[in-house]
């Protein structure tokens, strides 16, 4: 249920960017036949209005289909009967078989209970009932053999089961029952109202009496089933609830996980493929003199192989007549900016405008300076548009953007305001995309009649599997190579009590002419506290590095843009040797002379943030250092993070670790965590399945993008049904 809602939300979000898939791909107009699975849950025998209410409120089970996808979280093995003598306290639930020896009432009032002894050849176990005593007394008979099941307890060293389930062996044999029993999640509220895991199992059994293979039609092509050795959808749904062996259960889960990945990838892939096939894009047929002059005369360094490859990919896209929508990944310092810049020159060469949107004013200004110095000899008109652009200047600027005299615009969020109208925007670059919301980025798309080409750049890489899942609708480029000559940054973790040595080291570096960052954590719950901490930190740093021998800049979120700028500028021009700041400086800032990054309370930062901060040093020719400071009491996870940082400089490796440590949900740079939360599958543990699913999806979209071939008909009708309003899983 949950996964389904997420997926459809994800889908809606995508389709607002592009035409919806059903518009682009011409499905036959088959009406979706309403399925028994969309029946309201109260229609199931044994449910009724009261229980239905509970199921809806507590488990979001609204219809038959929701019950079907309320999977058990585990199974109890009821195929084995435990010899009583071999029971140990480590066991959880046990099933035993024996003769009922005795049964007697004990205790008074509240302590009143019925106690029975069951014996097999190896020992005796005690069975206790506090409730329903009269009923039990009538139902069971001393001297008979019973199959008993329940949660194991120990009392005075002896095994016992309270409120066991109990069945005469004749009955059990008659039912031929010996299987893995499903255990379902229920809430306390449900238990109190008598709807326990077992009742859910009964309801699910009831449901299976009503449905058959045709209600859970296969949605994967048969050749994939065959090659991947997957069981049918119907069997998978049956066996995930009621398997007859552990292997069968695992195979059912594997099949359903594959399906989850496959369908999600297919949806994204269809968007991508629809864009390739049907979208209208601005054509940039030529690479002209702006690009060529720059490349041959002014480019200050040779491009790396990876940069060249990515530029080629972008050029091809922009010449294809289809809209480019490309994600560019590359580690901190890998040189994404120059790639974006040269792509923008291609737009200018073809008579179009280009823009780049950065998440902070500091970064936008830095891009401007960088761009202006590169553009000066080319004679390209460039402008900066940020929140602090003054009204008069802004008016003029907007005019220039509208009439096309300004060819390249660099800006912050201010770029997406409605007043900003381009003459002909051909390429929009979004730097450090994770800092922007989805809606904000979408607005940039809409700045032009024919959507501009879009290049989205990530700050910190995200793992391939994650990129595949979250950005499967985008084309993907990666700069997997750093410019030559970079010295790896040496990272160490030091405890607070090593501060004197750390400060000595920093003094030496400063005396050698280098500059240093001190970063304090951003405490999000309380801006005030963050500010006070920072001030304390600032005073502390100042005590170690007093004026007039040392000068300190400070940048934080409470400053006006001008104050930030002044402070930043003093650091850039080496007037100050130390920069104290919060994560405001996290992204993009480029001061090659800075060689030491000190991160205070480093345990409070996430991995990608640490890596990003570290990326502020190591940009020049000098050897650089990153010092992670923390108290001595650091949690396990934080310790893991710090040791990963000390062990590697590779952003992709760090991203993988981050994914392992934190799970996919809150990785920075993922645009919608819902897209990464599957019901059964997990993109970390099941990445093998994910990759295989992706392989088949890619093949399928290549060979039969309209699902014309017979074997793909099942997919076509599945996607249609799933999109239709009557699909089960809908909240009524
Ligand atoms: P990021 O990918 O983190 O945005 P930048 O684009 O800011 O990295 O590049 C980092 C630094 O590397 C810049 O100073 C840039 O001029 C420099 N640089 C980029 N490409 C190369 C190259 N091929 N050779 C040498 N230096 C390069
Ligand atoms: Mg950058």
């Amino acid at each position: 249920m949950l996964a389904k809602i997420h997926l459809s939300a994800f889908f809606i979000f995508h389709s607002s960017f592009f035409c919806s898939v059903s518009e682009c791909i011409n499905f036959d107009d088959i009406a979706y036949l309403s399925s028994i699975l969309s029946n309201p849950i109260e229609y199931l025998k044994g449910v009724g209005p009261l229980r239905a209410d509970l199921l809806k409120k507590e488990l979001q089970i609204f219809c038959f289909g929701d019950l079907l996808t309320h999977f058990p979280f585990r199974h109890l093995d009821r195929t084995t009967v435990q010899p009583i003598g071999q029971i140990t306290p480590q066991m959880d639930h046990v099933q035993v078989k024996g003769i009922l020896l005795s049964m007697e009432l004990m205790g008074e009032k509240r302590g009143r209970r019925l106690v029975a002894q069951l014996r097999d050849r190896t020992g005796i176990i005690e069975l206790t009932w506090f409730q329903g005593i009269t009923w039990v007394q009538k139902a069971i008979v001393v001297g008979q053999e019973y199959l008993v099941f329940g949660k194991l307890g120990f009392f005075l060293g002896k095994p016992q089961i309270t409120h066991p389930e109990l069945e005469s062996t004749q009955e059990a044999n008659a039912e031929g029952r010996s299987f893995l029993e499903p255990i379902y999640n229920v809430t306390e509220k449900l238990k109190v109202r008598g709807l326990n895991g077992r009742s859910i199992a009964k309801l699910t059994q009831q449901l299976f009496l009503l449905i058959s293979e045709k209600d859970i039609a296969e949605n994967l092509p048969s050749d994939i089933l065959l090659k991947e050795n997957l069981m049918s959808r119907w069997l998978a749904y049956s066996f995930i609830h009621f398997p007859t062996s552990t292997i069968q259960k695992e195979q059912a889960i594997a099949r359903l996980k594959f399906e989850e990945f496959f369908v999600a990838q297919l949806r994204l892939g269809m968007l991508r493929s629809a864009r390739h096939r049907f979208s209208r894009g601005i054509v940039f047929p030529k690479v002209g003199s702006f690009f060529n002059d720059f490349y041959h005369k002014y480019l200050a360094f040779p491009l790396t192989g990876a940069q060249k490859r990515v530029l080629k990919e972008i050029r091809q896209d922009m010449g294809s007549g289809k809209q480019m929508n490309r994600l560019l990944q590359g580690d901190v310092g890998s040189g994404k900016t120059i790639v974006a810049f040269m792509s923008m020159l291609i737009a200018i060469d073809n008579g179009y405008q280009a823009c780049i949107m950065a998440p902070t004013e500091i970064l936008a200004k830095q891009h401007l300076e960088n761009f202006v110095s590169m553009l000066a000899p080319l004679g390209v008109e460039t402008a900066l548009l940020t929140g602090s652009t003054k009204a008069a200047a802004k008016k003029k600027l907007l005019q220039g953007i509208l009439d096309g005299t300004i060819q390249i615009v660099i800006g912050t969020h201010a770029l997406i305001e409605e007043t900003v109208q381009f003459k002909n925007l051909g390429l929009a670059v979004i730097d450090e995309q994770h800092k922007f919301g989805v809606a904000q980025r979408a607005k940039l798309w809409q700045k032009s009649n024919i959507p501009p080409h879009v290049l989205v750049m990530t700050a910190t890489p995200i793992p391939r599997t994650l990129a595949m899942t979250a950005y499967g609708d985008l084309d993907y480029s990666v700069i997997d190579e750093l410019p030559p000559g970079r010295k790896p940054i040496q990272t160490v973790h030091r405890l607070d009590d090593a501060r004197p040595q750390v400060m000595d080291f920093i003094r030496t570096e400063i005396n050698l002419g280098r500059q240093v960052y001190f970063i304090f954590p951003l405490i999000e719950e309380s801006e005030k506290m963050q500010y006070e901490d920072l001030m304390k930190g600032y005073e502390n740093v100042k005590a170690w590095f007093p004026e007039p021998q040392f000068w300190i800049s400070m940048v934080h979120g409470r400053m006006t843009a001008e104050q930030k700028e002044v402070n930043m500028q003093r650091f850039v021009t080496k007037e100050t040797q130390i920069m104290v700041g919060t994560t405001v400086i996290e992204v993009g800032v480029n001061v090659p002379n800075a060689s030491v990054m000190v991160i205070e309370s480093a345990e409070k930062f996430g991995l990608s943030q640490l890596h990003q901060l570290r990326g502020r040093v190591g940009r020049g020719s000098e050897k650089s250092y990153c010092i992670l400071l923390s108290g001595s009491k650091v949690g396990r996870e934080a310790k893991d993070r710090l040791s990963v940082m000390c062990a590697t400089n590779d952003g992709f490796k760090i991203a993988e670790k981050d994914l392992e440590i934190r799970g996919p949900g809150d990785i920075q740079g993922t645009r919608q965590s819902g897209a990464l939360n599957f019901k059964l599958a997990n993109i970390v543990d099941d990445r093998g399945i994910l990759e295989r699913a992706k392989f088949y999806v890619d093949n399928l979209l290549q060979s039969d993008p309209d699902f014309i071939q017979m074997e793909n008909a099942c997919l076509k009708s599945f996607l249609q049904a799933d999109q239709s309003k009557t699909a089960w899983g809908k909240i009524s």
Side-chain angles (χ1 to χ4, degrees), residues 331-333 335-337 363 367 431-432 457-459 587-589 612 616 619:
D331 205 348
V332 186
K336 295 183 287 292
T337 317
L363 190 54
H367 278 325
D431 196 11
E432 319 279 359
M457 308 201 286
T458 58
V587 285
V589 175
Q612 191 62 34
R616 299 307 108 216
R619 306 190 144 238

Side-chain angles (χ1 to χ4, degrees), residues 219 251 630:
N219 59 1
Q251 284 171 344
S630 80

Side-chain angles (χ1 to χ4, degrees), residues 657-677:
K657 281 285 174 203
D658 203 18
L659 187 58
E660 273 167 36
I661 296 174
R662 288 200 299 164
D666 28 70
I667 295 279
Q668 226 183 23
T670 59
R671 54 179 173 187
Q672 205 175 3
S673 54
L676 304 171
N677 291 338

Side-chain angles (χ1 to χ4, degrees), residues 49-100:
L50 244 85
R51 283 185 148 191
D53 250 19
L54 276 172
L55 288 172
K56 287 178 199 175
K57 282 206 187 95
E58 297 293 305
L59 298 176
Q60 285 77 50
I61 294 176
F62 293 86
C63 61
F64 287 14
D66 295 335
L67 181 65
L68 182 70
T69 53
H70 186 67
F71 298 134
F73 67 94
R74 66 191 180 107
H75 285 82
L76 283 176
D77 187 356
R78 299 202 55 176
T79 54
T80 48
V81 172
Q82 196 64 41
I84 295 171
Q86 290 173 17
I87 289 175
T88 65
Q90 284 74 39
M91 293 173 182
D92 178 30
H93 284 77
V94 289
Q95 178 164 258
V96 294
K97 190 160 82 174
I99 308 279
L100 201 68

Side-chain angles (χ1 to χ4, degrees), residues 43 138 163 180 245 257 314 346 407 444 505 545 562 569 600 645 667 690 708:
Y43 293 179
K138 270 189 219 152
H163 290 160
L180 292 163
S245 72
K257 281 180 176 173
I314 293 172
I346 299 178
Q407 294 157 289
L444 210 48
F505 172 75
F545 300 99
E562 265 125 303
Q569 216 46 47
E600 297 268 0
M645 284 298 291
I667 295 279
L690 174 62
I708 288 165

Side-chain angles (χ1 to χ4, degrees), residues 63 66 223-224 253 277 377 406 496 553 601 654 670 680:
C63 61
D66 295 335
D223 62 319
I224 296 181
I253 291 174
R277 297 164 67 213
I406 295 175
D496 281 331
S553 282
S601 306
I654 287 173
T670 59
L680 292 168

